[in-house]
Amino acid sequence: MSKLGVFDVSVRYGKVPALTNVTLHIEEGERVFISGPNGAGKSSLLGAISGAVAPSQGRIELDGDLLSGRPPEAIARLGLSMVPEGREIFGSLTVEENLKVGTGLRRDQSAVSADISEIFDAFPILGERRHASAGALSGGQQQMLAIGRALMTNPKLMMVDEPSLGLAPKIVDQVYETLVALQEERGLTLLIVEQSSTRAARVGGRMILLRGGAVVGEGDAATFASKDLLRDAYFGTSNTEAAL
């Protein structure tokens, strides 16, 4: 059984289709990148999985549990956490208070302090600024905080929407290095929306390409980068799926 299964899922906004009959499977412990041009349906896919967007058809399962039709908080209780595009941290709260926001659904409150310490070990700058207002952090530090907050829910599957958006390459390197280390330590399954095939190839994992709300190809991220298949998927200049 796959960790995550998406079966013939479609999403519409009024009369406008955002996803059409999307099917994909992610195995436990995998690192999977979702990529494609603007308007491809990447954020709609994450929204449908997390419960923020209601599919017009299809079903979504996590460890065999049906997610479709459940509210986001119920899905979070099943072990899914999301780092949204734009981070959505609470600027008026401190760094530590933001991390504690992620513990509201947990039953093991006795482990919260230890987990916060683990986040500070992974992102030392957050530990140094634990009592500072989150709104005063740099963009990279806010991204680290958003990842830390998602980890505080103790997830099985973590989705990250555009972790490199608006960040300097050196900061992106640091964010990804920590994500990979935390994945290995915790046995996480990662689903990441990432525009850069070069970045995905460097990090390593499987890539799924969307265009026009449909899956147009999937395979090893390094293969996409080396064969320039991402460009082909963006512009529809070749049969990407057949090329793998």
Side-chain angles (χ1 to χ4, degrees):
M1 180 186 298
S2 301
K3 168 63 69 174
L4 178 71
V6 176
F7 304 92
D8 295 316
V9 166
S10 296
V11 170
R12 302 182 67 87
Y13 300 109
K15 295 183 178 180
V16 180
L19 295 174
T20 304
N21 301 325
V22 169
T23 294
L24 58 89
H25 304 274
I26 298 175
E27 302 302 322
E28 185 168 359
E30 257 199 305
R31 186 183 311 128
V32 177
F33 295 93
I34 303 290
S35 196
N38 291 335
K42 303 182 296 296
S43 292
S44 293
L45 175 60
L46 265 58
I49 295 169
S50 67
V53 175
S56 57
Q57 72 169 45
R59 75 183 194 278
I60 302 169
E61 297 178 358
L62 179 66
D63 289 330
D65 289 317
L66 186 65
L67 303 188
S68 310
R70 294 179 186 248
E73 59 271 19
I75 292 174
R77 288 192 183 94
L78 293 174
L80 186 146
S81 187
M82 182 166 170
V83 180
E85 181 182 353
R87 298 138 201 167
E88 297 183 9
I89 56 100
F90 297 99
S92 61
L93 301 181
T94 68
V95 167
E96 188 165 1
E97 287 169 342
N98 266 272
L99 291 177
K100 289 181 177 179
V101 167
T103 68
L105 298 176
R106 288 180 55 166
R107 297 176 180 175
D108 59 338
Q109 291 295 317
S110 60
V112 167
S113 294
D115 285 351
I116 288 177
S117 295
E118 185 178 339
I119 299 302
F120 289 156
D121 288 341
F123 298 110
I125 188 62
L126 298 183
E128 294 172 15
R129 307 200 64 184
R130 65 190 301 164
H131 299 303
S133 167
L137 300 179
S138 69
Q141 292 164 2
Q142 289 185 4
Q143 185 65 276
M144 296 172 193
L145 179 57
I147 292 169
R149 183 181 60 191
L151 288 167
M152 288 301 298
T153 67
N154 200 21
K156 303 173 186 175
L157 168 66
M158 188 162 76
M159 304 193 301
V160 189
D161 196 354
E162 298 274 22
S164 58
L165 188 66
L167 301 182
K170 187 175 292 187
I171 299 299
V172 177
D173 287 341
Q174 183 182 355
V175 167
Y176 266 113
E177 285 170 8
T178 307
L179 264 178
V180 170
L182 288 167
Q183 180 184 21
E184 293 173 354
E185 290 171 12
R186 292 181 170 224
L188 284 172
T189 303
L190 287 179
L191 178 60
I192 304 170
V193 169
E194 175 57 71
Q195 292 281 45
S196 171
S197 61
T198 302
R199 173 69 59 185
R202 189 180 304 164
V203 175
R206 183 160 61 97
M207 180 173 279
I208 297 173
L209 298 182
L210 294 179
R211 187 179 73 240
V215 174
V216 296
E218 64 178 284
D220 180 70
T223 301
F224 277 98
S226 64
K227 293 186 177 180
D228 219 3
L229 297 176
L230 187 62
R231 181 198 61 194
D232 294 342
Y234 269 46
F235 298 107
T237 56
S238 73
N239 188 334
T240 306
E241 192 167 13
L244 295 178

